[in-house]
Amino acid sequence: MERRRSFKTPKQPLQVQHKIQTNLSAWQKGVRIDSEKSVQSHQSPNNQKNYSKQDSLEESLSYFENIKARVSLKTNNSLQKHLSTVETIALQRGLPPEAFDVLLNVALSGKLADTVNTRLLKSLIPASVVPENCVVSSVSWLCVSKCSSNIQLLFLRWLITVFDFIDCKTQIHALYGFFFSFLQDEKMCPYVCHVLYLLTRKENVKPFRIRRLLDLQAKVGMQPYLQALLSLYKFFRPELVTITLPGKTKIFFKNPDGPWKAAINTIRQRNQKNSAVPQPLIFSTAQVQSRKRKWNTQLLISASSANRNISEEDRGRDRVSLFSVNESLPVEQLKTFSQLLQNIHCLEFPSRMGSVLTNPLLLHYMNCIKDESVYLRLYYWMGQTLQEECSWCVVENSQYEEGFKDFLETVYKAECFLQEGFSSCEEFLYKSLPLWDGSCCRSQVLRLVSWISLSSFSEMKSRLCDPLAQLFLTSSLYFKCSVLESLKELLQNWLNCHAIHLDSELDSQGHSSNTTLSGRVNVVAELINFVGRISTVALHLENNSALLLYFILDFYETVCDIYLRYNLPLLIMPPAGIFYPALLSMDPVNLNQLCYIMYRYRTNLVAAKENELSKKKILQFKFSNKTYQEYNQFLSAMVGCLWTSSVFQKDVHPQGLHMDDELLKKTAVQDFKISFNVVHHPAMMGYAVHFLRQAWPDDTTFDFSLIKGKKWDWYLKYLYAQGLSGLQLFVDSSINRVSQASRSKAGNAQEGP
């Protein structure tokens, strides 16, 4: 195995944006180019202090590299000094790539006590990347068992934590068999499974490895970490793994981050404040200047270190063989959609699965090729990240709320692109909503709610609806509106999903599976009824707020068109607690919207009745008579209110506006019968006043009784010209206009024609 290179050996410096060279060898020899001399001559005291720290780090690394025999910490002042120097600099700035080879070598060689080795491993905090060659050489030390099992365990935890910081993993993948052999160690097994999960490719799945995992499972039981690895093996080679595994995604591995993650986050935040130009923590092919938390580093596709030092001639040969069918294509070389189409069969997905979320070409791949292994890796990474980064579930993450918002926004955009939600995101919502205060990341969380998959409502009720309803009823008006908007989008996503998959479910006679369809209808109906219940209570709590009513009616604008627009045999009328506040609303926008909704209900019900009568049972479902009865009751109330001025006498709904004349007379309201027609309705009175001003500019009495006969028709045209198209559709479709003769007989009647 290739021996590690001394940090004194000159190396190719990393290509970074700032001018100061990061190569320790160059610093030790005093190598600086002219431009760097100019920069150094103008260094501030802080920068000079940083150079002093680097000199101290070089001295300490030189000391550790030259250790030949076992050294005691208590009796050796030099060891104490240099160990403290490494710890201090690591916690303040992170370590450069060249430091890892030296420190891993001494920590795993057994030359120092476990106390020192532990402190050294805990100091391995990367400032940029971790070189692959130092990881490979470290693994070689595990082969000779020079270090204790506790140090080996700590090394594996560190490797898992910094896995996405490793610049290349080609040689590490070659060590798959070695890591697999460590499964026999009961203490290390969970972390070894985690490493194997990150490394597994299809070619790694072999029958003897499956047998070994099954034997181990029989010995220790179905542990989450074994389930994770077996699930991945089954997705790669389902014909080899015949056992049944739990289908739901869960957190398979414990958090291995130890002391490193918090230190990495702290260093990144400190460097971001001290740097005028943010520098990416991970070098990648994408020119991204972001210093977000660990999740953000995984959104970048890392450049393969194998391609960093190749010549232009080699690059030319690579381009020629780019579309070779016998070779896999790293995704960092994928630039255009045409390349995706030509290489879709041989793509090599990145180790950082988070980078899929920000790459449209990879999202296209996920849409075209249902590669379950890709989904499984992505769901595991996303579930782990959501759990660890949640700013209201983990107290110490509260300071990173802005970064978590960005991450949730990225997840939401990926879901919109794929037109489906992620199961790990859904699981996160189910677990975290009971702890959510409704304020932190509100917009992002509610957007994610809109992509929850259509499943059994009994599960949704306890895990989503109940905690959401508690927040909904106890929060502000604007939060209520946001929740209603999210639930409307959720309903639309469900209906779109149903419409897309309906054709594939139809049999040769055009009939859909009753079991599948009835279940889908029931879930959608439960969601609509849930929104109706909480909306009714919310209107009462908010004193029939016009803004809240607008969002409620916006939801029912989707509900009223389900049958015709989405081919789902379902129509549910709004509760009376929503219909009547909308009918009596003082806002013309809401009244107009209610008119449009009633028009669409009528259109859908008429179409359903025609299909039923003509025996076109396309979906083999019939609406109940209760639906038609509710619609007719609401229609009678609207016509009696807006047109015939008979709502108080003819409204037959149990929660309607029916009142005895004796009671109405006690109100001392004159002409109470016409109080809610299209002229006198509180929402329409402003239009009536403007109409009178235009029709009789010299009349200042505003006599509404003048609007009758032909003036009534002019008034209606005036209303339609003001944009009240919903009212126009309702009047044209649901109100039988009386004849001109009847209207003339009405004479001076003020109820309208």
Side-chain angles (χ1 to χ4, degrees), residues 592 678-679 683-688 691 712-725 727-728:
N592 180 69
V678 290
V679 176
M684 311 301 293
M685 194 170 291
Y687 292 105
F691 175 76
W712 182 281
D713 292 338
W714 295 350
Y715 174 63
L716 288 179
K717 292 180 180 179
Y718 169 78
L719 292 179
Y720 302 157
Q722 302 306 307
L724 300 180
S725 56
L727 176 65
Q728 181 179 8

Side-chain angles (χ1 to χ4, degrees), residues 178-189 192 212 216 219-220:
F178 166 77
F179 285 113
F180 194 90
S181 67
F182 263 88
L183 287 175
Q184 61 188 356
D185 190 307
E186 183 177 350
K187 191 175 181 181
M188 296 175 62
C189 185
V192 172
R212 179 72 184 91
L216 192 59
K219 179 181 178 181
V220 301

Side-chain angles (χ1 to χ4, degrees), residues 419-435:
Q419 289 295 292
E420 63 177 327
F422 297 117
S423 61
S424 53
C425 185
E426 181 178 331
E427 190 70 21
F428 162 74
L429 290 173
Y430 285 156
K431 289 183 177 180
S432 62
L433 279 180
L435 306 175

Side-chain angles (χ1 to χ4, degrees), residues 143-154:
C143 297
V144 296
S145 300
K146 289 289 186 179
C147 55
S148 66
S149 59
N150 288 335
I151 297 301
Q152 292 178 356
L153 185 64
L154 189 61

Side-chain angles (χ1 to χ4, degrees), residues 671 674 680 703-709 712 742-753:
D671 299 327
I674 62 173
H680 297 83
D703 185 3
F704 294 142
S705 63
L706 296 175
I707 305 177
K708 59 184 178 180
W712 182 281
S742 299
R743 192 182 306 136
S744 62
K745 289 181 181 180
N748 296 326
Q750 297 180 3
E751 295 91 14

Side-chain angles (χ1 to χ4, degrees), residues 341 438 480 502 558 575 595 609 683:
L341 296 179
K480 292 181 175 69
L502 181 62
T558 299
C595 290
K609 179 61 71 173

